[in-house]
Amino acid sequence: MTRQPDSRRTPWHRRHRMATAALAGAVVIAVGGIAGCARPISGEPVATGAAAGGANQAEPGAAFPTTTIPTTATTAPSNTPRSFPTRTTPGTPRPRLRDHVLPSDCLLTGAQMSALAGVALDDGDDTRLINQGRPDSYNCSYYLTAGGILSFTGTIKVQQPESGPITDEIVAGLTEPGSTTVPGIARAVIITPPDDYPQMWVITDDYVVSVVLVGSNLPAQPSTAAWTTAAREVVAALPR
């Protein structure tokens, strides 16, 4: 395990993590909140892949049932980021990654995500977010078993580069100052510094996986040991 040298993290890294959580859950919670419920109300969420009890082994890019939610539906609750920022500081270029590369983003079961988060979560829901003027976004969303309007607590997103292979430059672009790296599991496992939205990147030769949690719903920040266990489970669930 290697702790990167501490320095002030760039505004892009912080905003990127918030944007990741926003893309995955802001509108999901908001739309559900309109009706006073925790789950999305547009479409029927369907847990597939690991969430349905099996590994995610289907061909990349295949269609899967999703919850479809327009991002213009309403304003998100106060515990969820509202903006979709872009990088504004010089440095390593932001990696250009594409979504929907597997039939399901639900690589971890609710029990596995619960162990990471330290709070009971249901199995994940594959979710499609309709972005006006931009490509649609895909992720797996996890909610508190206890329910509630603000029950959105985590997301997993599986991506690949828009073109070409995964490179060292992509890994560097996802490693913010102060991150902890865990060797021996994948090409790279990067745990970002503690923040309102704890995040881990699991990078293999074929996939870039982001796991993000909503800190306000957690009893504490996940430990490095908990992240490490989750990273191994992510790698085990990816197609070989």
Side-chain angles (χ1 to χ4, degrees):
M1 178 177 65
T2 303
R3 182 78 174 184
Q4 300 297 320
D6 287 331
S7 62
R8 178 157 49 182
R9 69 193 67 164
T10 66
W12 173 80
H13 278 113
R14 181 181 179 85
R15 291 197 300 269
H16 173 68
R17 193 184 325 176
M18 294 176 68
T20 302
L23 285 167
V27 182
V28 175
I29 306 174
V31 177
I34 295 174
C37 62
R39 301 281 181 167
I41 60 174
S42 175
E44 293 296 328
V46 178
T48 61
N56 200 337
Q57 299 294 334
E59 289 298 319
F64 63 90
T66 61
T67 299
T68 302
I69 302 167
T71 58
T72 56
T74 186
T75 303
S78 58
N79 79 326
T80 309
R82 291 181 170 85
S83 61
F84 302 90
T86 57
R87 187 170 186 168
T88 58
T89 55
T92 305
R94 177 178 180 175
R96 297 181 63 87
L97 303 172
R98 61 185 178 91
D99 293 358
H100 196 26
V101 298
L102 291 178
S104 173
D105 287 292
C106 296
L107 299 180
L108 300 184
T109 65
Q112 290 169 324
M113 283 291 282
S114 298
L116 172 63
V119 64
L121 302 177
D122 287 341
D123 285 341
D125 297 328
D126 274 307
T127 306
R128 175 189 178 192
L129 303 180
I130 299 175
N131 300 315
Q132 302 299 328
R134 301 189 306 276
D136 294 348
S137 300
Y138 297 81
N139 66 79
C140 182
S141 301
Y142 294 83
Y143 299 83
L144 294 172
T145 300
I149 292 177
L150 302 182
S151 66
F152 170 76
T153 301
T155 182
I156 295 179
K157 181 187 287 288
V158 186
Q159 298 175 293
Q160 289 179 322
E162 288 186 354
S163 62
I166 294 174
T167 63
D168 291 341
E169 287 73 21
I170 289 177
V171 175
L174 298 175
T175 308
E176 65 178 271
S179 294
T180 297
T181 59
V182 181
I185 297 176
R187 178 169 183 159
V189 174
I190 305 162
I191 305 168
T192 60
D195 205 338
D196 293 340
Y197 298 91
Q199 183 176 16
M200 172 179 67
W201 295 98
V202 179
I203 306 169
T204 70
D205 288 336
D206 298 308
Y207 301 100
V208 176
V209 181
S210 173
V211 182
V212 184
L213 300 173
V214 177
S216 60
N217 282 350
L218 309 182
Q221 293 276 330
S223 66
T224 299
W227 281 122
T228 300
T229 296
R232 291 194 178 99
E233 292 168 341
V234 165
V235 171
L238 287 169
R240 291 171 173 71

